[in-house]
Amino acid sequence: MLLPSIDLKEGKVVQLQQGRDEKLRIAEAPEKFAEKFSAFREVQVIDLDAAKRIGSNLETVKKICSVVNANAGGGIDSVEKAKVLIAAGAKKVIIGSAANVKFLKELGSAIGKEKIIVALDSWKGEVVVKGWQEKTGQDYLKKAKEFEKLCSAFLFTCVEKEGLMKGIDFEAVQKLRKATKNRIIAAGGIASLEEARKLEKAGVDCALGMSLYTGKIKLSDILADELDFEKGNGLLPAIAQDWKTNEVLMLAYMNRESLRQTLREGKASYWSRSRNKFWVKGETSGNFQIVKEVRFDCDNDAILLKVEQVGNVACHTGKRSCFFKKAEELK
C-alpha cells in the first residue's frame, strides 16, 4: 500500500528535508489540498509543529480527517489527545516521542492497539525524537521488539534520507521486516515508483512525500491502484457528466490502465467490452471529452468524470447524451 503524506507547519502543507529545511509550501488550504487524496485507503497526516512542541495544527488536522482516511500524528502525548483525533475521524494515531510501555498500554486500553502506530524515527539506526531533533542512543530494532505487542504497526522513517529523494535505506527496512511481525510503513528518501514497488514486494507499505509532491512519482500512476477493479473483473463503470450542467452524457467502462491514461492526459479514455480494446473517446469522431474532475464512489468501485464535451455529442448515435430514451409512466 502507498500512502500520501501530509505534513503541516504553521497551518500549511509543507515538505522538509531531514526534518529541518523547508523545501515546499502549498498555498492552498490543507483540507482542500487533501481532497486529492480522498480515494486512498490511508493518508499519513503529521503535525510538525506539535511534534517539535512549538505550536499546534490540531484544528487543521481535524478538518483533514473529515476528508481522508487519516493516520494522524505529531505531539500526541496523552490519551485525551488521541481520543480527540479518533473522534474527529482519524483511523489510527501515530505515537512518536511519547512512546513508552506504560503510555502505550494505557492508550491501547482506551482505543485499542489496532489503532496505534508507533513511529520509529531513525538516524542511521539510532532512534530520534522531538521532531527528529534529539538523539536517544536507542537502537530502532530493540525499540521495535519492546513495542511490538502494544501497537499494530510501525512507521519507520530513515531521517538521514528524508526529503532527499536519493533512495531509502533498504537494508535497514529489511532488518526491521525480519525483526517484527507488525505492519511496517516505510518513509524517507523513496525516489521512484520502482523503489516503492520493491518495498511492497518485501511486505512493506510506503509513505510518499517529496517524491509525490515534486512529480517524481505521479499521482495518476498510484491513484488507480486504490480502486477495486477486482470487483468488476478488471473493469469499473465510468459515468461521464457535463462539468457545468451535471447532465449525464454516457456510461462506459475503464480498466486500470485507461484510468491512468485519463488522469495523465486529461482526455477520457475507456475500455471497449465489445471490441476488447482501449479507446480514447473522440479519437475517430473528434468528439473528445476534456476531463475537468475525476471522482470515485464510497466503495472505490465506480468512477465519475466531469467533462467538457467537445462537439456537443457524446453518443455514437449523434445525440448529445446516450440517455435519450425515456420510460413513460404506464397509464
Side-chain angles (χ1 to χ4, degrees):
M1 185 190 303
L2 303 180
L3 295 74
S5 183
I6 298 175
D7 294 342
L8 298 169
K9 178 184 176 186
E10 299 168 350
K12 294 295 183 181
V13 177
V14 301
Q15 282 292 290
L16 309 183
Q17 280 187 349
Q18 299 178 326
R20 298 189 300 268
D21 302 325
E22 184 178 314
K23 295 298 180 180
L24 289 171
R25 178 176 286 242
I26 306 298
E28 190 175 11
E31 62 272 20
K32 184 66 177 177
F33 176 79
E35 289 180 1
K36 66 182 63 184
F37 302 137
S38 59
F40 284 83
R41 285 167 283 176
E42 293 182 25
V43 177
Q44 182 173 289
V45 182
I46 304 295
D47 184 342
L48 297 177
D49 293 329
K52 295 181 179 180
R53 306 299 195 271
I54 58 174
S56 173
N57 295 282
L58 178 59
E59 294 308 311
T60 301
V61 173
K62 287 180 179 180
K63 291 177 183 178
I64 293 174
C65 286
S66 70
V67 296
V68 302
N69 296 315
N71 298 333
I76 302 174
D77 55 9
S78 71
V79 172
E80 289 70 27
K81 287 182 180 179
K83 283 183 174 180
V84 167
L85 289 169
I86 294 296
K91 304 305 178 184
K92 301 178 180 68
V93 292
I94 303 168
I95 309 300
S97 302
N100 59 58
V101 171
K102 181 177 181 295
F103 177 54
L104 292 176
K105 283 183 177 180
E106 291 177 357
L107 186 58
S109 296
I111 67 172
K113 78 168 190 176
E114 71 279 358
K115 294 183 179 180
I116 301 174
I117 299 172
V118 169
L120 293 175
D121 300 322
S122 165
W123 180 276
K124 299 181 180 179
E126 180 181 356
V127 175
V128 291
V129 295
K130 296 182 180 178
W132 305 344
Q133 306 303 304
E134 183 179 306
K135 295 183 178 180
T136 65
Q138 299 170 326
D139 178 75
Y140 76 102
L141 297 175
K142 290 182 179 179
K143 278 295 175 183
K145 281 297 183 183
E146 182 180 359
F147 298 145
E148 184 175 33
K149 295 182 180 180
L150 301 172
C151 63
S152 63
F154 292 112
L155 170 59
F156 176 61
T157 302
C158 297
V159 178
E160 71 273 16
K161 302 282 188 177
E162 176 68 23
L164 299 178
M165 292 187 294
K166 294 182 179 180
I168 200 168
D169 187 340
F170 190 72
E171 183 180 351
V173 177
Q174 282 185 309
K175 288 179 179 178
L176 182 59
R177 179 68 286 165
K178 292 177 181 178
T180 179
K181 295 180 181 179
N182 282 12
R183 177 190 179 197
I184 298 171
I185 305 168
I190 297 172
S192 66
L193 187 56
E194 291 71 27
E195 184 179 15
R197 297 303 187 205
K198 180 181 177 181
L199 287 162
E200 284 188 308
K201 288 181 180 179
V204 176
D205 295 330
C206 305
L208 302 176
M210 192 74 78
S211 59
L212 188 59
Y213 284 59
T214 59
K216 289 197 74 172
I217 294 178
K218 302 292 185 184
L219 184 62
S220 58
D221 288 334
I222 64 174
L223 186 56
D225 291 336
E226 296 300 306
L227 271 65
D228 192 359
F229 282 95
E230 287 67 30
K231 185 181 288 186
N233 295 317
L235 296 177
L236 292 180
I239 299 167
Q241 185 179 41
D242 185 279
W243 72 297
K244 288 184 176 179
T245 67
N246 291 328
E247 178 186 10
V248 175
L249 300 175
M250 58 178 282
L251 169 69
Y253 289 83
M254 285 183 164
N255 61 8
R256 188 169 274 112
E257 188 50 45
S258 63
L259 176 57
R260 288 194 182 111
Q261 175 78 4
T262 298
L263 292 169
R264 283 195 299 260
E265 302 298 330
K267 290 182 180 179
S269 302
Y270 303 102
W271 180 264
S272 171
R273 295 177 298 166
S274 59
R275 292 175 289 164
N276 198 34
K277 63 179 288 189
F278 168 86
W279 63 288
V280 178
K281 173 66 178 174
E283 61 187 345
T284 56
S285 66
N287 297 321
F288 294 101
Q289 291 176 343
I290 309 302
V291 178
K292 299 294 186 177
E293 184 179 329
V294 181
R295 296 191 180 196
F296 310 116
D297 77 333
C298 56
D299 293 322
N300 277 12
D301 60 5
I303 302 163
L304 175 65
L305 305 179
K306 297 272 194 172
V307 305
E308 176 187 345
Q309 180 62 62
V310 176
N312 204 34
V313 173
C315 184
H316 73 284
T317 63
K319 296 184 181 296
R320 172 168 169 77
S321 170
C322 292
F323 293 91
F324 59 86
K325 299 177 180 180
K326 184 177 180 181
E328 298 288 352
E329 182 179 356
L330 296 176
K331 301 297 185 181

